[in-house]
Amino acid sequence: MDTPLLIICLALVVVILASFSLPLLFRRRRHHSRGRLPEGHVMRKPSAYGVHSPKKIAIGRSPEWPRVAMEHRLREPACVACGYKGKHLQVHHIKPFHLHPQLELDPHNLITLCEARGREHHLLLGHLDAWNSYNEHVREDVKRFYKKSATQIRADLHWQKKMQLRP
Ligand SMILES: [Zn+2]
Ligand SMILES: [Zn+2]
């Protein structure tokens, strides 16, 4: 075996070894930081927060949205309609993005609502029970329906009327 061939063989072995060990190292390091910083892990997922579908962010949505949603969540960390503080929270646009794209990043157009089981304040108060509809008076309605369950809200005559007249 002559020298150039030997060098090429050695280089190949190095490349193969590196391609196997680097992803392993990387994975292990990520795993470690996740273990040490559980809160950091939550903070590193802003895109999962306030976006109905992760795919939607690519279509016309501002790259600033994850940051704005995170800042809103720091100001308003619980569901305004019940105080729920868990992972089933959404940063909801009071005036919807598809009708008012200029208000996408306006803090006054944002409200934190839950999708907690049995309450569904995002759907019932933010969208009046239809994801393609919305409720411009959600800030008033979260007070009126404070801590009410989904069943109680659906049984309320005032809410039913609003729901029938929803945009
Ligand atoms: Zn919403
Ligand atoms: Zn709630």
Side-chain angles (χ1 to χ4, degrees):
M1 205 183 267
D2 55 357
T3 316
L5 195 62
L6 191 69
I7 289 169
I8 290 169
C9 283
L10 277 172
L12 264 175
V13 168
V14 168
V15 166
I16 289 166
L17 278 176
S19 67
F20 273 104
S21 56
L22 276 178
L24 271 176
L25 271 174
F26 196 65
R27 207 176 298 162
R28 210 170 294 161
R29 199 172 297 164
R30 264 176 55 189
H31 212 79
H32 269 255
S33 67
R34 200 173 281 184
R36 266 187 289 119
L37 297 163
E39 281 157 53
H41 170 61
V42 172
M43 297 297 278
R44 265 191 274 125
K45 288 177 70 193
S47 60
Y49 187 82
V51 185
H52 293 170
S53 146
K55 280 178 192 161
K56 277 187 187 166
I57 199 159
I59 310 164
R61 292 299 289 265
S62 166
E64 296 291 295
W65 168 244
R67 177 184 61 79
V68 171
M70 184 57 71
E71 283 169 6
H72 172 83
R73 196 182 175 179
L74 292 174
R75 283 193 304 273
E76 203 171 79
C79 174
V80 184
C82 70
Y84 168 89
K85 272 186 184 179
K87 58 179 178 177
H88 302 293
L89 284 174
Q90 288 289 340
V91 178
H92 165 78
H93 286 96
I94 298 171
K95 293 186 179 178
F97 173 71
H98 67 280
L99 296 177
H100 304 270
Q102 77 283 8
L103 297 178
E104 181 191 15
L105 306 176
D106 183 346
H108 300 293
N109 192 40
L110 304 177
I111 184 169
T112 305
L113 293 171
C114 77
E115 291 176 358
R117 193 193 295 220
R119 296 182 222 171
E120 300 173 62
H121 292 140
H122 180 207
L123 176 63
L124 295 183
L125 300 179
H127 292 274
L128 294 170
D129 212 9
W131 290 116
N132 58 357
S133 190
Y134 58 97
N135 177 10
E136 286 198 31
H137 307 110
V138 61
R139 281 270 171 207
E140 294 153 42
D141 286 340
V142 290
K143 290 177 202 151
R144 176 186 277 263
F145 296 103
Y146 189 67
K147 294 221 171 176
K148 291 266 198 291
S149 70
T151 313
Q152 287 171 316
I153 294 171
R154 284 199 169 100
D156 185 277
L157 291 175
H158 173 86
W159 180 86
Q160 286 175 11
K161 199 171 178 186
K162 284 197 83 149
M163 190 265 285
Q164 280 156 14
L165 298 170
R166 71 193 172 199

